[in-house]
C-alpha cells in the first residue's frame, strides 16, 4: 500500500456550515461505495450529523454535544483503518481513501478545537485532542494552527498551557509549537512564576535532547527569571534542583550555583543548600569558576564539609545566625555519618575521617555554646562509646524539666536496643521529673513488653505501684492485675486485688477490671461481684452512669429485681439530677429488654411442651407403645 499524503482540500480551518456539511458527506459516500458499512448504519450516521449541524446553526451546541459527536466520528475512523488492507487495490481507490480520511480526520480536529474553546477548557479533552492529532498526523492539514487557536484564548487554569506544551513536545516532537503554547499563556499571565518555570523546564528538556546545542535558549530563560524574582531564595533553589536533573554538567550549572552564591551568601540557607549539592557530587569551585561532577566520596565529603567551615569563618554573622549555622552543620554531619556508615563499611579511612570530623564539629559547637538540642547530644553519645553516658547527661542537664527531651533520648536508646542505657536514662529522668514522668513509664513499659521477660515486667510494675507517686501507682495497678489474671488464674488474682486495694488512693479501674475477670471466670461468684460493685459505687462514691447501669443490670439479671430497684433509687445521691435522668432512661430500657428476654424464654419452653405432648398423642393414636423411641432431648 502506498503512503497516503495529505491532500490540500481546504485552504482555511474555519469552515462555514455548508463546507462542514460537505466534509461530513464525502466519507459517508466512500463507505457506501466500497460496501464498508450497511445502508441502515450510514443513515443513522447521517441522522446524528444532521441533528448536530442543526443544533450548531442554532447556537445550541455545548461541550457534551461536541464530545458525543466526536466519539461517533472516531468510530468511523476505526472502521476506515480496519478495512485499509483489503480495500486499497488501485491508485484511484487509494486517492479516494486518503481524500475521505483527510476530510474525516480534519473535521474531527476542527470539532475538538471548537469544543476546547468553550471555557473552562477540559484538560482531559485537551490531552485526547493532542493524542488524536499525533495518531493521525499524516492526515492533519492545519499543522498546529488549530491547537494554537485554542491556546491563544485566556485560560485561568495554567495547566492548560503546560499540558499543551508538554504534549506538543513529547508527542509531536515540535519544540517550536510547545514554546508558542507557553508564550501564549504568558501574554495573559505576565511574569507568572509557574509558567516561566514551565518554559525553563521545557528548555532544560530540549537542552538534554539536543546534547547541549540549545543552551542559549535555556540561559536566556534562566537570566530572565532570576531578574524577575531577584531576592527569592526558595525559587532559586527550585531552579537549581531542576538544573541538577540534567545528566551532564554544563555552563548552566555553574551559572545557577554561582549566582546563588553571590546573591545569597549572607543567608545561612544558601550555605546549607550548597553543602547538600556538593555532597551529591556536584563540586563547585568559585575561584576557578567551574563546576564538575565527582561520584567518589573521598572528594565529595571534604568539599561538602568545607562549605560549612568557610561559612563559619565569615565575620558578618550575628550570634543567633552562627547558632543556626552550627545547628545546620551538625545536622549535615549526622546525615553524612548515617550514609557513610551504610555505604562505606569497607572503606575504613572514610569512616575514620567522618568520625573524627563529627567529633570536632560537636566539640566546636559546644565550645561556642551552640550545641543546644538534646537530640544532637544523643547522636554524639551514640557516636562516642567511651563517654556515652556523660554526654547524655549533658543533654539531660540542658533540658532537665522537658519531658519531650527525655522521651527523645529514650526513643534513641530504645531503637538502638541499648537496655542498659534505657535503664540509666529512665532512672535519671524519674529522679528529676517525679510525677511528671508518666509518659516515660508508658514508653519503658512498652519496651519491656516487646523485648523483655515477664520477671522484668513484674519488677517494673512493683516499682511503679509501690513507689512514691500516686498518679503512677494508679496507672499501673490494673496492668499488674491483668498480668496475674492472664498468668495465674482467678484465685491468685483475687489475692493480688485485695493487696492492691489497700493502697491509697483507691483506683476505680482496678474494680472495673476485677469485675470483668470475675464475670468471665469459670468460678462465677455472684456475691463477690455484687460486693465489688457495691464498694466501687457506694464506698468510692462514683458518679459514673455506665458503672451504675452495669451494677443495676447485674443485680436485675443475676440477683433479684427488688434489690436492683433499691440500688437505682439510691444512685440519685451519687449521680445528681442530670446524670440520674440519664440512668432512668437506661433503667427503663433495661427492664424492657429483660421482659422481652423472659417472654422469649417462656415461648420457647411452651413450644417444647406442646411438641412433647404432640409426640405422645401421635404415638398413642398410631399404637406405638415403645416409649424408648421418644427423643429425650426434644422432650
Amino acid at each position: 500500500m502506498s503512503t497516503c499524503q495529505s491532500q490540500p482540500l481546504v485552504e482555511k480551518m474555519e469552515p462555514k456550515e455548508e463546507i462542514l456539511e460537505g466534509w461530513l458527506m464525502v466519507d459517508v459516500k466512500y463507505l457506501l461505495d466500497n460496501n464498508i458499512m450497511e445502508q441502515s448504519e450510514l443513515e443513522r450516521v447521517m441522522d446524528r450529523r444532521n441533528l448536530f449541524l442543526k443544533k450548531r446553526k442554532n447556537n445550541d451546541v455545548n461541550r457534551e454535544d461536541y464530545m458525543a459527536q466526536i466519539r461517533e466520528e472516531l468510530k468511523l475512523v476505526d472502521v476506515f483503518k480496519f478495512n485499509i488492507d483489503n480495500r486499497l487495490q488501485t491508485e484511484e481507490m487509494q486517492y479516494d481513501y486518503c481524500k475521505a480520511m483527510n476530510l474525516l480526520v480534519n473535521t474531527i480536529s476542527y470539532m475538538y478545537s471548537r469544543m476546547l474553546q468553550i471555557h473552562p477548557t477540559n484538560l482531559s479533552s485537551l490531552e485526547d485532542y493532542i493524542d488524536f492529532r499525533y495518531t493521525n498526523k499524516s492526515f492533519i492539514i492545519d499543522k498546529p494552527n488549530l491547537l494554537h487557536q485554542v491556546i491563544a484564548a485566556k485560560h485561568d487554569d495554567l495547566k492548560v498551557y503546560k499540558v499543551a506544551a508538554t504534549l506538543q513536545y513529547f508527542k509531536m516532537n515540535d519544540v517550536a509549537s510547545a514554546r508558542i503554547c507557553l508564550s501564549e499563556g504568558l501574554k495573559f499571565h505576565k511574569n507568572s512564576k509557574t509558567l516561566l518555570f514551565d518554559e525553563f523546564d521545557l528548555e532544560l528538556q530540549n537542552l538534554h535532547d539536543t546534547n547541549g546545542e540549545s543552551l542559549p535558549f535555556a540561559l536566556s530563560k534562566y537570566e530572565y527569571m532570576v531578574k524577575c524574582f531577584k531576592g527569592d531564595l526558595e525559587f532559586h533553589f527550585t531552579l537549581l534542583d531542576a538544573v541538577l536533573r540534567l545528566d551532564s554538567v554544563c555552563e548552566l550549572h555553574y551559572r545557577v550555583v554561582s549566582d546563588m552564591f553571590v546573591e545569597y551568601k549572607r543567608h545561612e540557607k544558601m550555605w546549607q543548600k550548597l553543602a547538600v549539592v556538593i555532597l551529591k557530587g556536584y563540586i563547585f569551585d568559585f575561584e576557578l569558576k567551574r563546576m564538575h561532577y565527582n561520584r567518589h566520596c573521598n572528594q565529595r565529603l571534604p568539599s561538602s564539609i568545607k562549605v560549612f567551615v568557610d561559612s563559619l569563618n565569615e565575620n558578618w554573622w550575628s550570634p543567633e545566625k552562627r547558632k543556626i549555622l552550627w545547628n545546620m552543620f551538625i545536622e549535615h554531619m549526622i546525615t553524612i555519618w548515617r550514609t557513610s556508615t551504610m555505604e562505606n563499611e569497607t572503606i575504613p579511612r572514610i569512616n575514620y575521617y567522618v568520625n573524627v570530623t563529627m567529633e570536632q564539629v560537636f566539640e566546636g559547637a559546644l565550645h561556642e555554646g551552640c550545641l543546644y538540642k538534646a537530640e544532637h547530644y544523643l547522636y554524639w553519645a551514640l557516636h562516642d562509646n567511651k563517654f556515652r553516658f556523660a554526654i547524655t547527661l549533658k543533654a539531660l542537664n540542658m533540658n532537665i524539666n522537658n519531658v519531650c527531651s527525655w522521651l527523645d533520648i529514650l526513643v534513641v536508646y530504645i531503637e538502638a536496643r541499648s537496655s542498659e542505657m534505657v535503664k540509666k536514662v529512665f532512672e535519671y529522668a524519674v529522679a528529676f521529673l517525679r510525677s511528671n514522668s508518666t509518659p516515660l513509664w508508658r514508653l519503658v513499659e512498652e519496651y519491656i513488653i516487646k523485648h523483655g521477660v515477664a520477671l522484668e515486667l513484674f519488677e517494673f510494675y512493683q516499682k511503679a505501684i509501690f513507689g512514691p507517686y500516686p498518679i503512677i501507682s494508679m496507672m499501673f495497678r490494673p496492668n499488674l492485675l491483668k498480668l496475674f489474671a492472664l498468668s495465674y488464674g482467678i484465685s491468685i488474682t483475687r489475692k493480688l486485688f485485695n493487696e492492691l486495694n489497700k493502697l491509697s488512693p483507691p483506683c476505680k479501674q482496678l474494680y472495673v477490671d476485677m469485675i470483668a475477670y470475675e464475670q468471665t471466670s469459670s468460678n462465677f461468684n455472684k456475691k463477690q461481684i455484687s460486693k465489688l460493685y457495691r464498694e466501687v459505687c457506694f464506698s468510692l462514691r462514683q458518679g459514673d452512669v455506665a458503672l451504675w447501669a452495669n451494677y443495676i443490670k447485674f443485680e436485675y439479671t443475676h440477683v433479684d429485681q427488688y434489690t436492683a430497684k433499691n440500688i437505682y433509687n439510691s444512685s440519685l445521691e451519687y449521680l445528681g439530677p442530670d446524670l440520674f435522668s440519664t440512668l432512668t432512661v437506661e433503667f427503663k430500657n433495661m427492664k424492657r429488654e429483660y421482659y422481652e428476654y423472659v417472654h422469649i424464654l417462656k415461648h420457647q419452653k411452651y413450644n417444647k411442651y406442646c411438641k412433647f405432648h404432640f409426640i405422645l398423642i401421635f404415638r398413642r393414636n398410631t399404637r406405638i407403645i415403645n416409649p424408648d423411641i421418644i427423643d429425650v432431648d426434644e422432650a
Side-chain angles (χ1 to χ4, degrees):
M1 183 187 75
S2 62
T3 304
C4 286
Q5 301 296 325
S6 299
Q7 304 296 324
L9 300 173
V10 290
E11 296 180 357
K12 294 183 180 180
M13 294 310 296
E14 296 180 1
K16 297 179 180 179
E17 299 302 331
E18 58 270 17
I19 298 177
L20 183 62
E21 187 171 358
W23 278 357
L24 295 174
M25 285 296 296
V26 173
D27 58 308
V28 172
K29 184 177 184 302
Y30 176 82
L31 292 169
L32 186 60
D33 291 345
N34 291 276
N35 297 319
I36 296 175
M37 291 183 70
E38 297 291 336
Q39 176 79 31
S40 58
E41 294 180 60
L42 289 172
E43 287 177 357
R44 284 195 293 271
V45 169
M46 287 307 301
D47 289 342
R48 283 192 292 267
R49 287 180 174 180
N50 289 329
L51 179 61
F52 173 77
L53 286 173
K54 183 178 180 181
K55 294 180 72 174
R56 193 168 180 276
K57 288 177 181 177
N58 296 331
N59 293 321
D60 190 28
V61 64
N62 55 31
R63 190 197 309 273
E64 289 70 27
D65 294 327
Y66 270 113
M67 199 65 241
Q69 190 60 40
I70 287 171
R71 291 193 189 99
E72 293 299 327
E73 302 303 325
L74 288 174
K75 291 177 184 177
L76 289 181
V77 172
D78 292 337
V79 171
F80 267 78
K81 291 179 177 179
F82 182 76
N83 289 272
I84 286 175
D85 293 334
N86 296 328
R87 300 289 174 179
L88 300 185
Q89 303 295 332
T90 66
E91 288 292 330
E92 182 180 356
M93 292 177 67
Q94 289 180 18
Y95 175 80
D96 290 343
Y97 167 79
C98 291
K99 181 179 178 182
M101 274 293 285
N102 269 325
L103 291 168
L104 179 58
V105 167
N106 284 281
T107 300
I108 296 173
S109 178
Y110 172 73
M111 286 194 289
Y112 259 123
S113 69
R114 297 299 298 170
M115 178 189 70
L116 290 169
Q117 291 177 50
I118 300 174
H119 290 275
T121 298
N122 185 288
L123 287 177
S124 177
S125 298
L126 180 59
E127 292 176 6
D128 292 342
Y129 176 36
I130 296 177
D131 280 337
F132 170 78
R133 292 175 65 87
Y134 172 74
T135 305
N136 301 280
K137 58 186 177 183
S138 62
F139 299 103
I140 296 292
I141 296 171
D142 70 289
K143 303 301 181 186
N145 294 341
L146 275 180
L147 177 64
H148 292 167
Q149 288 180 21
V150 174
I151 300 302
K154 182 180 179 180
H155 301 280
D156 295 327
D157 187 353
L158 301 183
K159 291 180 182 178
V160 171
Y161 304 106
K162 182 179 180 179
V163 167
T166 302
L167 292 173
Q168 282 296 101
Y169 184 85
F170 289 102
K171 283 281 188 182
M172 307 300 290
N173 196 27
D174 190 343
V175 64
S177 176
R179 287 169 177 160
I180 290 173
C181 291
L182 292 171
S183 64
E184 290 290 345
L186 285 166
K187 290 180 182 177
F188 298 102
H189 306 276
K190 190 175 182 180
N191 290 340
S192 163
K193 187 182 291 186
T194 300
L195 286 177
L196 285 172
F197 178 78
D198 290 339
E199 272 196 324
F200 182 58
D201 201 36
L202 175 68
E203 295 304 335
L204 290 180
Q205 182 62 49
N206 195 42
L207 181 65
H208 171 268
D209 294 341
T210 59
N211 294 320
E213 291 182 10
S214 64
L215 179 60
F217 288 95
L219 281 172
S220 173
K221 297 298 180 185
Y222 163 73
E223 289 168 356
Y224 181 79
M225 281 190 293
V226 293
K227 183 179 178 180
C228 283
F229 304 105
K230 184 179 178 65
D232 191 337
L233 176 61
E234 294 298 329
F235 186 60
H236 205 108
F237 287 169
T238 302
L239 298 179
L240 176 57
D241 291 337
V243 170
L244 293 179
R245 290 198 295 268
L246 293 173
D247 292 337
S248 58
V249 179
C250 63
E251 180 187 347
L252 184 60
H253 289 74
Y254 174 78
R255 284 288 304 277
V256 176
V257 175
S258 176
D259 290 347
M260 180 183 74
F261 184 84
V262 173
E263 181 70 25
Y264 304 105
K265 61 184 176 182
R266 290 178 179 268
H267 201 301
E268 66 278 4
K269 281 189 176 181
M270 188 285 298
W271 295 91
Q272 182 187 40
K273 183 70 172 179
L274 184 59
V276 171
V277 168
I278 293 176
L279 185 62
K280 292 178 179 178
Y282 297 93
I283 310 300
F284 169 73
D285 193 321
F286 184 71
E287 295 178 356
L288 297 177
K289 295 185 177 181
R290 68 185 182 89
M291 191 170 179
H292 68 280
Y293 181 78
N294 191 305
R295 65 183 181 85
H296 299 292
C297 57
N298 60 349
Q299 187 172 353
R300 287 190 290 116
L301 296 183
S303 299
S304 177
I305 291 169
K306 186 177 181 297
V307 170
F308 277 109
V309 175
D310 291 344
S311 71
L312 289 166
N313 287 333
E314 301 293 351
N315 58 9
W316 55 63
W317 302 111
S318 67
E320 187 60 34
K321 291 289 186 180
R322 285 190 69 83
K323 197 173 184 180
I324 294 172
L325 268 173
W326 272 111
N327 178 65
M328 290 177 171
F329 196 3
I330 292 168
E331 294 284 351
H332 191 66
M333 285 307 305
I334 290 171
T335 301
I336 291 175
W337 179 51
R338 285 172 171 169
T339 54
S340 65
T341 302
M342 292 184 292
E343 296 175 0
N344 304 299
E345 292 179 350
T346 59
I347 312 177
R349 60 188 178 86
I350 296 296
N351 284 330
Y352 176 77
Y353 169 76
V354 171
N355 289 335
V356 170
T357 306
M358 191 171 183
E359 190 75 21
Q360 292 172 350
V361 171
F362 280 124
E363 289 176 355
L366 181 65
H367 178 72
E368 285 200 29
C370 296
L371 192 61
Y372 61 96
K373 288 188 176 181
E375 59 266 30
H376 290 166
Y377 278 96
L378 285 177
Y379 280 107
W380 190 6
L382 287 173
H383 172 263
D384 190 322
N385 292 321
K386 187 176 180 180
F387 302 104
R388 174 170 291 182
F389 191 63
I391 296 170
T392 301
L393 290 182
K394 288 183 180 181
L396 300 177
N397 289 329
M398 293 179 67
N399 302 272
I400 204 72
N401 295 315
N402 190 328
V403 177
C404 293
S405 295
W406 290 95
L407 283 171
D408 290 339
I409 292 168
L410 271 179
V411 166
V412 170
Y413 287 122
I414 284 172
E415 290 177 350
R417 299 288 295 274
S418 179
S419 298
E420 182 181 354
M421 288 302 297
V422 169
K423 184 178 180 182
K424 283 184 178 181
V425 171
F426 174 65
E427 291 174 351
Y428 199 72
V430 172
F432 280 97
L433 295 176
R434 300 178 183 274
S435 59
N436 293 325
S437 61
T438 51
L440 279 74
W441 286 91
R442 289 288 192 198
L443 185 61
V444 173
E445 180 194 26
E446 291 176 8
Y447 174 71
I448 294 174
I449 290 173
K450 189 174 181 180
H451 301 292
V453 294
L455 182 60
E456 291 179 7
L457 187 60
F458 177 69
E459 292 173 353
F460 171 83
Y461 285 145
Q462 279 190 314
K463 288 181 181 178
I465 293 167
F466 298 101
Y469 312 113
I471 187 172
I472 295 172
S473 175
M474 292 179 64
M475 182 190 303
F476 289 103
R477 286 179 216 169
N479 296 20
L480 181 59
L481 190 71
K482 180 181 179 180
L483 179 64
F484 270 62
L486 295 173
S487 305
Y488 303 113
I490 193 65
S491 298
I492 297 179
T493 304
R494 286 169 181 163
K495 292 179 181 179
L496 176 65
F497 171 80
N498 293 331
E499 291 297 319
L500 295 176
N501 206 28
K502 295 175 183 178
L503 298 174
S504 181
C507 177
K508 181 187 82 171
Q509 191 60 43
L510 193 68
Y511 275 96
V512 172
D513 289 353
M514 190 63 211
I515 290 169
Y517 300 142
E518 291 284 359
Q519 288 180 324
T520 56
S521 170
S522 57
N523 184 15
F524 187 78
N525 189 325
K526 289 190 292 185
K527 290 184 179 180
Q528 177 68 12
I529 297 172
S530 293
K531 177 176 175 292
L532 292 171
Y533 267 125
R534 185 166 58 255
E535 288 179 5
V536 71
C537 288
F538 287 101
S539 300
L540 300 187
R541 304 184 67 84
Q542 287 295 323
D544 187 333
V545 175
L547 187 61
W548 280 95
N550 289 336
Y551 180 21
I552 295 168
K553 186 174 183 179
F554 176 80
E555 295 291 333
Y556 207 94
T557 307
H558 297 286
V559 185
D560 64 77
Q561 298 175 20
Y562 180 76
T563 303
K565 188 173 183 179
N566 286 338
I567 295 170
Y568 162 73
N569 292 328
S570 302
S571 66
L572 175 61
E573 177 186 348
Y574 301 89
L575 295 176
D578 293 337
L579 293 178
F580 182 74
S581 63
T582 304
L583 183 63
T584 300
V585 175
E586 292 286 335
F587 187 50
K588 289 180 180 178
N589 292 336
M590 188 189 310
K591 288 194 293 183
R592 188 187 71 253
E593 291 173 2
Y594 178 77
Y595 285 126
E596 289 175 354
Y597 173 71
V598 170
H599 176 73
I600 291 171
L601 286 179
K602 288 182 177 179
H603 184 68
Q604 289 175 345
K605 289 180 180 179
Y606 178 74
N607 286 344
K608 286 184 178 180
Y609 173 80
C610 293
K611 187 175 182 181
F612 174 72
H613 281 274
F614 172 78
I615 292 171
L616 290 179
I617 294 170
F618 175 78
R619 287 177 175 172
R620 288 195 193 103
N621 291 338
T622 53
R623 299 183 182 278
I624 298 177
I625 59 174
N626 185 2
D628 295 334
I629 67 171
I630 298 176
D631 191 328
V632 177
D633 290 336
E634 289 186 355

